Amino acid sequence: MITSKLPATGTTIFTVMSALAKEHGAINLSQGFPDFPCPPALQAALERYIEEGFNQYAHMAGAISLRQAIANKVALTYGATINPETDVTVTAGGTQAIFTAIAATVHTGDEVIYFTPAYDSYAPAILLQGGKPIAIELQHPSYQIPWQQVKDATTPRTRMIIINTPHNPSGTVMTAADMRTLQDLVRDTNILILSDEVYEHIVFDGARHESALRFPELAARSFVVYSFGKTYHVTGWKMGYCIAPEALMREFRKVHQYLVFSVNHPAQLAFGEIMETQPKLWQELPQFYQRKRDLFIKHLQGSRFTIRPSQGTYFQLLGYENITDEPDTALAERWTKEIGVASIPVSVFYDPAVQSKVLRFCFAKSDDVLEAAAEKLCKI
Ligand SMILES: Cc1ncc(COP(=O)(O)O)c(C=O)c1O
């Protein structure tokens, strides 16, 4: 009766694992969301803007006070000059920004290169436009980008390359050398870049987030995507934004206006206000999450897992090759039921699935939850 446009797509593993964790009373380190509260200043600002009556449609591209705050922030953090009128659009989370950028630019038959393991929204968004997702595997276990392979995979049909740094699920961050290699690779081509930087402020061990916005040649051909959910512990608000040069943003907005038209008005005003008045909320994020990563790893020291400390994001991969040969999906389900800790099998971030004997754990959790989870994992 109906021909599916995404026949291979089922219920996402995130929904499956969270439901399984609930059913078995397991500690849920599967889906990526913090268990700590929204910053009080953000909540107070939101309540105030609702009270003051900012409850009708915002400007299609976003409240100008927020777009100005975003422009100020990227000037400060990445040395990038953007025009808040033309170069930024506020979106319903990073996911909508990603979908919109792809829908606005990828034509039938266009090829889009992305790297696996990958955040799960990229390939379906490409397929829905009649595009061809070209998956390139990151090198295991370092999860570095194999640049020669990328070069070999580019063709006259390559419309876009999607990068993600800090990277979910691997927790690696791209270096300045990576960004320069990418810049060289796309020079003299029509290839666009979609740079998914939703974990921009969750980078560890003194490393610097190498935003595409720091590299003028890249910025000139990039859609750069951010998420307030990750930065302000409010993933359920589904708020984010996209930055792109005017010509690209014009096309982006043509889709955005028919996809959502505009997004939550009082929340935009609240974010605009606290970005200006509470910069510590994002400035202190690296230390905040690094302490959590270190705590989780410290309590896993007695375990049989292979641990390569995460360089960024709030995810830690654990290799179980010294423990069992079981496939990761069956194992993640079994350990949720028997050990009481839910994780995400990394094979689901590949298409087709690749067995990597690695599970992903989210450490955006309170200390006692992380300690209790690590204690259970150490018993395996
Ligand atoms: C790599 C990556 N990109 C984008 C997103 C989407 O962010 P949002 O929740 O703001 O849609 C996520 C969320 O998990 C993510 O991990």
Side-chain angles (χ1 to χ4, degrees), residues 95-238:
T95 311
Q96 188 232 311
I98 291 163
F99 189 92
T100 307
I102 292 170
T105 57
V106 173
H107 294 250
T108 306
D110 282 351
E111 295 172 0
V112 180
I113 293 175
Y114 74 110
F115 301 99
T116 53
Y119 179 59
D120 62 347
S121 86
Y122 305 148
I126 299 160
L127 287 168
L128 284 173
Q129 305 314 317
K132 200 169 159 204
I134 308 288
I136 294 183
E137 271 180 44
L138 297 171
Q139 291 155 337
H140 182 75
S142 66
Y143 296 98
Q144 298 299 305
I145 294 178
W147 285 113
Q148 188 55 45
Q149 246 174 284
V150 183
K151 206 168 185 178
D152 296 344
T154 56
T155 75
R157 303 280 348 218
T158 307
R159 168 97 311 242
M160 178 182 269
I161 298 176
I162 304 178
I163 57 170
N164 170 215
T165 182
H167 181 257
N168 173 17
S170 75
T172 48
V173 300
M174 288 174 72
T175 61
D178 283 318
M179 301 305 273
R180 279 194 292 271
T181 304
L182 177 64
Q183 187 166 266
D184 292 345
L185 200 146
V186 294
R187 190 173 295 131
D188 303 325
T189 72
N190 286 325
I191 299 173
L192 301 171
I193 304 296
L194 174 54
S195 187
D196 179 346
E197 303 183 8
V198 298
Y199 299 101
E200 63 177 326
H201 297 306
I202 313 182
V203 179
F204 309 133
D205 306 317
R208 190 174 91 150
H209 170 55
E210 297 296 345
S211 171
L213 296 175
R214 289 188 192 278
F215 299 83
E217 261 189 75
L218 279 181
R221 58 173 79 228
S222 293
F223 293 98
V224 191
V225 170
Y226 298 100
S227 170
F228 289 115
K230 313 292 179 195
T231 301
Y232 293 100
H233 314 317
V234 287
T235 59
W237 290 21
K238 292 302 302 184

Side-chain angles (χ1 to χ4, degrees), residues 26 31 35-36 39 45 52 59 64 77 102 106 111 126 130 146 158 173 186 188 226 244 267 272 306 338 341 361 373:
Q31 210 173 352
D35 71 356
F36 11 89
E52 287 174 8
H59 187 287
I64 192 64
T77 43
I102 292 170
V106 173
E111 295 172 0
I126 299 160
T158 307
V173 300
V186 294
D188 303 325
Y226 298 100
T306 311
E338 294 175 7
V341 181
F361 296 80

Side-chain angles (χ1 to χ4, degrees), residues 24-69:
H24 294 274
I27 299 175
N28 188 3
L29 303 191
S30 63
Q31 210 173 352
F33 59 85
D35 71 356
F36 11 89
C38 162
L42 177 60
Q43 184 171 334
L46 177 68
E47 288 172 4
R48 179 162 27 81
Y49 285 113
I50 291 173
E51 190 72 19
E52 287 174 8
F54 291 94
N55 298 307
Q56 309 311 327
Y57 295 126
H59 187 287
M60 184 269 277
I64 192 64
S65 59
L66 175 56
R67 284 188 278 148
Q68 186 61 60

Side-chain angles (χ1 to χ4, degrees), residues 7 62 95 125 280 354 364 376:
T95 311
K280 279 205 160 117
V354 168
K376 287 173 185 285

